[in-house]
Amino acid sequence: SLECIHQSTIEDAESILAGDPAAHSIAEVIGTYPGFYAIAIYRIANKIHELDVPYLPRIISEHAHSVTGVDIHPAANIGRSFCIDHGTGIVIGETTIIGDHVKIYQGVTLGGMSVHKSMALQKRHPTIEDRVTIYSGATILGGDTVIGKNSTIGGNVWLTESVPENSFVYYSSKDHIKQKK
């Protein structure tokens, strides 16, 4: 319903305001933040997609993509209080599931592994659980890949395997996955 979309977008704007020290007001976030615009358009396109309206959700999503540089498939499942900061270059694939209170930065890809067309209806994109932060340039691929709750994924990390709750994953010359204390 329109009330649900309105409530979701207000929660998204509040999340962006809380998460970005440069944001000074909800009005500023709503009026000037491309990440907010991309999320708001996604929320509308997603509801239209759920109504099985052909083409229109993708048309709307692609318009937002062309304006913001943020590519969110309308069939993705995104939870409450979603925050995109510096959104350029973000890709969120069709079967992605994102929990509540997730924050992602520019250049993040939540994508699928290369699969045969016959697998198009299977889950091909990752699941991001609640309260996860994903920093710029991170790539997380695959339908079986789950990023556990309360985890932080550092910049330029490439993941094709799941990480447990409370993990801190970062790029180094060696692979590192550490549990938060």
Side-chain angles (χ1 to χ4, degrees):
S1 73
L2 289 177
E3 294 85 17
C4 291
I5 293 170
H6 178 260
Q7 182 59 39
S8 293
T9 57
I10 294 301
E11 289 174 0
D12 297 329
E14 290 170 345
S15 180
I16 293 169
L17 178 62
D20 183 357
H24 300 290
S25 70
I26 292 287
E28 178 187 15
V29 168
I30 291 171
T32 67
Y33 273 57
F36 173 79
Y37 182 80
I39 296 166
I41 295 300
Y42 155 78
R43 300 266 185 223
I44 294 165
N46 178 258
K47 290 297 180 202
I48 296 169
H49 170 79
E50 289 174 356
L51 296 171
D52 290 324
V53 175
Y55 309 117
L56 186 58
R58 288 300 299 271
I59 292 168
I60 293 169
S61 294
E62 286 307 317
H63 171 73
H65 180 199
S66 69
V67 171
T68 66
V70 177
D71 185 0
I72 306 174
H73 195 286
N77 184 334
I78 299 175
R80 298 173 58 187
S81 299
F82 184 47
C83 177
I84 291 177
D85 197 356
H86 303 289
T88 302
I90 289 173
V91 176
I92 299 173
E94 179 180 22
T95 62
T96 301
I97 298 171
I98 298 175
D100 298 337
H101 306 283
V102 170
K103 182 176 185 177
I104 63 176
Y105 288 84
Q106 71 273 15
V108 168
T109 297
L110 304 177
M113 304 288 280
S114 181
V115 297
H116 190 271
K117 184 77 170 171
S118 65
M119 297 175 70
L121 298 178
Q122 294 181 355
K123 182 152 175 21
R124 305 179 315 280
H125 303 88
T127 297
I128 311 301
E129 293 185 341
D130 298 344
R131 295 173 304 281
V132 170
T133 299
I134 306 171
Y135 284 99
S136 59
T139 298
I140 304 170
L141 304 176
D144 294 331
T145 304
V146 177
I147 305 304
K149 293 178 183 178
N150 304 307
S151 292
T152 301
I153 308 303
N156 299 316
V157 167
W158 178 280
L159 286 173
T160 58
E161 297 177 4
S162 296
V163 298
E165 293 182 6
N166 304 307
S167 292
F168 178 66
V169 181
Y170 60 94
Y171 174 78
S172 173
S173 59
K174 296 180 182 181
D175 294 327
H176 293 285
I177 298 179
K178 292 189 175 184
Q179 292 296 117
K180 290 181 182 175
K181 299 274 183 200

